[in-house]
Amino acid sequence: VLITGGAGCIGSDLATRLLDDEIEVIVIDNLSSGKEEHIEPFRGLPNFRFVEGDLLDRGLVDSVMPRVEMVYHLAANPDVKFTAGDPTDKDLQQNTLVTFNLLESMRIHGCRRLAFSSTSAVYGIAERLPIAEDNPCHPISLYGATKLSCEAMIGAFQNLFGIKSWIFRFANVVGPKVRKRGKTVIGDFIDRLRQNPHRLKILGDGFQAKSYLLSAECVDAMLFAVRHADAGLNVFNLGCTDSLQVRRIADMVVEAMGLQNVEFEFTGGEGGWPGDVPRFTLDVTAINRLGWRASHNSEEAVAAAIRSSLESCRSEATCKP
Amino acid sequence: VLITGGAGCIGSDLATRLLDDEIEVIVIDNLSSGKEEHIEPFRGLPNFRFVEGDLLDRGLVDSVMPRVEMVYHLAANPDVKFTAGDPTDKDLQQNTLVTFNLLESMRIHGCRRLAFSSTSAVYGIAERLPIAEDNPCHPISLYGATKLSCEAMIGAFQNLFGIKSWIFRFANVVGPKVRKRGKTVIGDFIDRLRQNPHRLKILGDGFQAKSYLLSAECVDAMLFAVRHADAGLNVFNLGCTDSLQVRRIADMVVEAMGLQNVEFEFTGGEGGWPGDVPRFTLDVTAINRLGWRASHNSEEAVAAAIRSSLESCRSEATCKP
């Protein structure tokens, strides 16, 4: 099994599961947002191999593909935010073009199974909530737009070349690990409060309410769906049914860090950044019907992620405030 | 106004309308499927300028964009068919990357109005017919997938950078003009019958039934929608409500050419080629409600296109059988 982005938060959790099952795992990661420490525990395992490199390099992809039976394609530009001055082509490069490269290499080398980490951002601002998989997709961010591009190409390759595919549209995935770039709201709040425990800047008006899923549960759902969903092209929302307000997350982080009288400063506006979808809940009936259900709701997932983030940080000198 | 692909069948019909309205028109076309003869009538008009070149060349796009107030982006790889052995990246290049280039140039140079020729192929095999704009999109061809990619990027640029956009999902557009590559069914049948008036090869089982729209009507609908639809992002199916079987089109062409006892040879299979959507009708309620309605149904459109194709060919020495 090839895991692209396997040094990332979700990718390395997936690698742990597959390696435990004694599956041979190759990880490709350019370490732009993933971290060596996430794959450090796998070093020396006989069924693990790490290839550092960029998936835009077709030669690199082709060099591993002949041995690969299935690809979990999790590599992406992880930062949903677009900030004025950012290059506008980073999602095109790291999502659309990388995915095409991978599909083309799979086609040529006869690899016929692909799981893909898409995102609830493909829906954009939905007219009705919760959002089911057959809702129209009108992404409003470059991140969401290029993920939808990937989905569309995967569908075409599935139909034309028989690459059986599982597309997962993730809720906000949280966990103990923190990326180099594109932090989740939890990592962002912890960092800011470490720098200044009296004041917390919160993007938007704080009423953004999104759906959260623990990374370990996300991995569990993917493995379950790949085992049990058998169509040529399988599309699933992954998440739970509820959502959680950003203000509530701020309160939870403050409390978990044992702080008091923290002043919240809101940057204002409905969304946290240009292209942000301020409020959504996912209809997860399809994955539930298949037989999988998240065991944490959004608040429980966020609480667990806050706890484990603080714990893993306490054990590292570099994270100490 | 910039018309990309303006030497194409639809692009040159659009240019005629805009030039008649005394609008300044720039056409960019690489003449890969468009033809010089389509823009020949505009040569010498004071409000017309032709730039031959490829839209992948950002310098070229940037060289014209500062003067442009609105873009009609019709350039594309026009051939929906994927044939084994074809490069798999031609749609990615000519649809996805070209459209990104154009959007980025528009963003930088402050051009804030874009009309885009998308396709009913973005829907793939729909669960219910007729297909409305809010149906799920699961394209099964590289052509449809990359057109959906373009739509998604346009939506993101609309939201992030205020580029007001009109996306048109065309039925099969037919007319008197014939492309260099990617012929429509009518041009294909006429060509084959000229080569052999006794026998006609028909792709698929002939029961494919699609919706057709005359090029002149397609242009009229676009101009109408751009004038009357005022959302940031406007998405319209363009076509009529009915569909027409390929077998019927074959009969119509045979009759119009005055042939008899032509033997039809079907290649078999539901679709005409890998990635073909064999049967569809479009729900055109949205454009009808806006105040526009096709004045020809599919059969009338095809009949008119057959007539005009045969007429324009009769006048050209090169088309004579």
Side-chain angles (χ1 to χ4, degrees), chain B:
Chain B
V1 165
L2 167 64
I3 307 176
T4 71
C9 301
I10 306 170
S12 56
D13 281 358
L14 174 65
T16 303
R17 286 283 302 265
L18 293 174
L19 289 165
D20 283 351
D21 286 349
E22 298 187 352
I23 289 163
E24 272 191 74
V25 172
I26 304 173
V27 161
I28 299 184
D29 201 300
N30 64 5
L31 300 179
S32 68
S33 56
K35 292 176 179 171
E36 282 207 79
E37 66 191 65
H38 294 160
I39 50 169
E40 204 50 51
F42 316 142
R43 301 276 191 185
L45 290 180
N47 54 338
F48 176 72
R49 187 175 150 213
F50 174 55
V51 179
E52 183 177 344
D54 198 296
L55 294 160
L56 286 171
D57 176 356
R58 245 310 276 291
L60 181 87
V61 180
D62 284 340
S63 73
V64 305
M65 199 57 80
R67 296 180 52 212
V68 173
E69 279 178 20
M70 172 158 189
V71 177
Y72 284 84
H73 177 33
L74 307 183
N77 164 39
D79 199 353
V80 186
K81 294 183 191 65
F82 176 84
T83 311
D86 281 357
T88 54
D89 71 342
K90 66 180 176 178
D91 301 278
L92 179 77
Q93 297 281 338
Q94 291 297 320
N95 297 341
T96 309
L97 296 185
V98 152
T99 299
F100 176 81
N101 247 0
L102 195 69
L103 284 165
E104 183 62 356
S105 183
M106 290 178 70
R107 179 181 78 86
I108 288 170
H109 295 286
C111 179
R112 291 291 178 268
R113 292 162 67 85
L114 171 67
F116 174 63
S117 59
S118 188
T119 166
S120 50
V122 297
Y123 297 114
I125 310 289
E127 282 182 24
R128 46 181 186 277
L129 300 179
I131 310 171
E133 288 85 350
D134 63 355
N135 261 47
C137 292
H138 292 298
I140 60 170
S141 63
L142 294 167
Y143 178 81
T146 53
K147 283 285 189 179
L148 185 60
S149 301
C150 297
E151 287 197 10
M153 288 190 300
I154 290 168
F157 271 73
Q158 187 277 318
N159 178 65
L160 293 172
F161 310 120
I163 296 179
K164 190 165 174 170
S165 299
W166 293 263
I167 289 173
F168 300 107
R169 294 175 178 163
F170 293 173
N172 283 9
V173 178
V174 292
K177 294 172 184 168
V178 176
R179 290 188 290 248
K180 278 188 202 158
R181 289 187 306 120
K183 281 184 193 134
T184 62
V185 61
I186 297 170
D188 181 51
F189 284 174
I190 293 176
D191 272 8
R192 287 179 194 276
L193 287 169
R194 285 218 164 95
Q195 279 161 32
N196 181 349
H198 305 296
R199 197 174 170 80
L200 177 62
K201 185 169 98 171
I202 298 177
L203 300 180
D205 60 13
F207 293 113
Q208 305 99 293
K210 308 181 184 189
S211 192
Y212 294 86
L213 178 66
L214 275 176
S215 175
E217 292 219 68
C218 176
V219 164
D220 196 58
M222 286 196 284
L223 292 170
F224 186 91
V226 166
R227 232 172 13 243
H228 293 97
D230 203 40
L233 180 67
N234 308 276
V235 183
F236 292 103
N237 287 338
L238 292 192
C240 53
T241 51
D242 67 342
S243 65
L244 188 63
Q245 276 195 0
V246 168
R247 282 169 188 262
R248 174 75 190 125
I249 297 176
D251 286 336
M252 290 164 74
V253 172
V254 165
E255 196 190 326
M257 290 176 75
L259 302 173
Q260 275 177 336
N261 301 322
V262 178
E263 191 186 338
F264 292 167
E265 175 200 350
F266 298 97
T267 62
E270 265 208 318
W273 56 84
D276 187 22
V277 175
R279 270 172 295 282
F280 73 88
T281 50
L282 294 177
D283 182 332
V284 289
T285 309
I287 190 80
N288 290 169
R289 282 210 182 120
L290 194 68
W292 187 90
R293 187 176 295 273
S295 55
H296 297 69
N297 67 18
S298 287
E299 176 145 350
E300 290 163 349
V302 167
I306 293 171
R307 261 196 318 275
S308 55
S309 296
L310 290 172
E311 272 162 26
S312 73
C313 254
R314 258 176 225 125
S315 64
E316 289 171 39
T318 52
C319 315
K320 275 185 192 151

Side-chain angles (χ1 to χ4, degrees), chain A residues 160-173:
Chain A
L160 293 172
F161 311 118
I163 296 180
K164 190 165 173 170
S165 300
W166 294 264
I167 290 173
F168 300 106
R169 293 175 177 163
F170 293 173
N172 282 9
V173 177

